[in-house]
Amino acid sequence: VLHHQGCGLSHLIAWMDARRRGVEMELILESDGTPSYWANAVGNPGEAHEFHSVVHALAQEAPKGWELIQLDHGRCGAVPGWGPVKVMKKHHPHRHWKTPYHIYRWTG
């Protein structure tokens, strides 16, 4: 538990520092948050090359007013039965993903 508390606190401090400095967007990764780890976690093993385009698409397509987006491998923290807020389509002129990516409202 202490490890997760430390990670959460360090992420909060990094986010607060970015806001203080006027940083518009910030990407905070865990030490094991590599594109290949992410690809396995979201169920697309071997699709690590999608990481860059997914992060870029999230920055462009996230719902207005959102200040935090957590890349997760499921619906952890989402209300059961609620559908996605948005579906980022897999076919787009600048991306060719194996599957679409869903954005859910996190409720803790």
Side-chain angles (χ1 to χ4, degrees):
V1 173
L2 292 177
H3 168 76
H4 295 290
Q5 291 169 339
C7 284
L9 184 57
S10 68
H11 293 175
L12 176 64
I13 290 169
W15 177 72
M16 289 170 59
D17 179 60
R19 286 188 55 109
R20 181 186 60 78
R21 293 182 294 121
V23 174
E24 190 174 327
M25 281 187 229
E26 176 180 37
L27 180 63
I28 301 171
L29 298 172
E30 298 283 338
S31 60
D32 61 356
T34 63
S36 59
Y37 178 84
W38 170 82
N40 284 324
V42 298
N44 288 339
E47 303 299 325
H49 66 276
E50 292 183 3
F51 181 81
H52 179 268
S53 64
V54 167
V55 170
H56 182 72
L58 281 168
Q60 304 264 324
E61 298 182 31
K64 294 224 181 280
W66 282 30
E67 294 184 355
L68 174 72
I69 296 175
Q70 178 179 345
L71 301 179
D72 198 348
H73 56 83
R75 289 189 234 161
C76 183
V79 175
W82 285 16
V85 173
K86 182 171 189 158
V87 176
M88 295 192 312
K89 307 242 184 266
K90 62 182 180 174
H91 296 297
H92 185 273
H94 301 291
R95 60 184 180 232
H96 300 284
W97 298 334
K98 186 176 180 181
T99 61
Y101 289 91
H102 298 165
I103 300 175
Y104 291 89
R105 181 171 306 284
W106 186 80
T107 57

